[in-house]
Amino acid sequence: MKAYVFPGQGAQFIGMGKDLYESSDEAKALFEKANEILGFRITDIMFSGTDEELKQTKVTQPAIFLHSVILAKVLGSDFKPDMVAGHSLGEFSALVAAGALSFEDGLKLVAKRANAMQKACEIQPSTMAAVLGLDDFTVEDICQRVSDVVVPANYNCPGQLVISGTIAGIDKACELLLAAGAKRALKLNVGGAFHSPLMESAKVELEAAIVATEIKEPICPIYQNIDAKPYTDVQSIKDNLIAQLTGSVKWTQTVQKMLEDGATSFIEVGPGNVLQGLVKKVNRAIETSSASIA
């Protein structure tokens, strides 16, 4: 069974999508439609902008979404998923690729999500940190012991967790995690505390948009971040998408569940190969590849 997976923030690079734009009329038309919907030429930043421009949340998220979704569309009949999942932002790409969301609606939601997250970051300075070499339980326990807001945000693979919270909370947690034997507890260069209660204002804003957007039943189950379970029911998909912004991304558990349910290969659709690396950390023997039109 083929599992198609879609990356999230952090996978971006300058030049992403340029080959698609230049080699496919369908891709070019979709990129131009995206420029129109967003009200600025995101393709200029993606293909030849600076890292600084691309790194802004309001640019990064739509850019990764566009690369993933347009690639899936250009694959045409070669895109035959038995199951899909996306890491954080990638969940929106997965829903569009699996026919649950239209291209236009998906892009509008992602742009709204990115802007709402950027605003939430400005309300309260906050950050995230990567923790390597500790089991999930120890990290969860230490987060609970810190008096400031600190929560596990991304369960990326066994022994790699990202925590999210206030700057003081993350500093304190990193200190305690290193003392508990973490190989590394490293603050990330991100705008704020994604997937934590500090994103509540963004969640409220996004919730209204998700409720008002038409979502159809996907062509295959989508394994959602919030609980790593497969869904095809429209109401559940909406509820889980809303909960995702303040809830943790259970990626380790998602990969484990997909394997349990019969996944025999994982194909990453979008920029980079981060997710393939994480899948291999769960099961070294599983076949992984990048989707490509060549």
Side-chain angles (χ1 to χ4, degrees):
M1 287 176 84
K2 287 184 179 178
Y4 281 82
V5 291
F6 296 79
Q9 211 159 332
Q12 71 277 3
F13 62 89
I14 295 296
M16 59 190 275
K18 194 166 190 265
D19 54 338
L20 279 174
Y21 186 94
E22 289 171 351
S23 61
S24 159
D25 289 342
E26 185 189 359
K28 186 176 185 174
L30 287 167
F31 275 120
E32 288 302 341
K33 185 185 270 190
N35 286 333
E36 215 173 287
I37 290 169
L38 293 169
F40 68 98
R41 289 194 63 79
I42 192 168
T43 48
D44 291 352
I45 302 176
M46 288 171 71
F47 303 164
S48 57
T50 65
D51 283 333
E52 216 41 57
E53 290 172 309
L54 187 59
K55 216 170 65 187
Q56 300 171 74
T57 296
K58 63 176 186 187
V59 176
T60 315
Q61 293 194 17
I64 293 169
F65 167 87
L66 288 171
H67 188 283
S68 294
V69 165
I70 292 174
L71 176 54
K73 286 194 180 294
V74 173
L75 288 172
S77 59
D78 288 344
F79 181 71
K80 289 199 189 80
D82 295 300
M83 45 179 87
V84 295
H87 190 290
S88 186
L89 152 78
E91 196 158 277
F92 289 83
S93 311
L95 284 167
V96 174
L101 260 175
S102 72
F103 174 78
E104 295 82 352
D105 285 344
L107 179 57
K108 285 174 189 166
L109 282 180
V110 165
K112 188 170 268 301
R113 179 183 191 266
N115 286 319
M117 285 168 83
Q118 193 129 359
K119 270 192 273 181
C121 296
E122 285 156 15
I123 294 167
Q124 163 132 38
S126 52
T127 193
M128 301 173 86
V131 183
L132 305 183
L134 281 181
D135 63 279
D136 294 351
F137 177 78
T138 304
V139 179
E140 290 162 353
D141 184 51
I142 286 172
C143 285
Q144 284 176 343
R145 280 164 37 201
V146 177
S147 54
D148 280 90
V149 175
V150 184
V151 296
N154 301 343
Y155 292 80
N156 283 335
C157 64
Q160 188 191 321
L161 234 157
V162 175
I163 58 173
S164 201
T166 62
I167 290 168
I170 292 289
D171 286 341
K172 181 67 184 160
C174 285
E175 194 185 302
L176 293 171
L177 289 158
L178 288 167
K183 284 186 195 152
R184 293 175 84 180
L186 189 71
K187 272 164 83 168
L188 300 177
N189 185 12
V190 292
F194 304 147
H195 300 289
S196 82
L198 299 174
M199 287 288 123
E200 189 57 44
S201 62
K203 178 182 165 183
V204 171
E205 207 172 311
L206 193 64
E207 180 168 5
I210 289 171
V211 168
T213 301
E214 185 193 1
I215 293 185
K216 299 187 191 117
E217 195 175 303
I219 56 171
C220 65
I222 174 160
Y223 288 67
Q224 290 190 278
N225 292 175
I226 199 74
D227 62 3
K229 291 178 184 163
Y231 289 92
T232 52
D233 165 64
V234 170
Q235 194 51 53
S236 300
I237 288 172
K238 282 193 173 191
D239 293 344
N240 294 336
L241 263 190
I242 292 162
Q244 192 225 61
L245 216 48
T246 52
S248 53
V249 174
K250 296 196 169 68
W251 191 254
T252 307
Q253 298 87 333
T254 296
V255 174
Q256 288 166 340
K257 181 73 177 130
M258 290 173 114
L259 288 166
E260 216 176 278
D261 291 350
T264 49
S265 67
F266 283 77
I267 300 118
E268 185 163 3
V269 190
N273 53 12
V274 171
L275 298 183
Q276 292 170 69
L278 298 181
V279 168
K280 289 281 190 198
K281 293 262 174 57
V282 175
N283 182 335
R284 193 154 292 289
I286 203 77
E287 186 193 318
T288 64
S289 60
S290 292
S292 74
I293 50 167

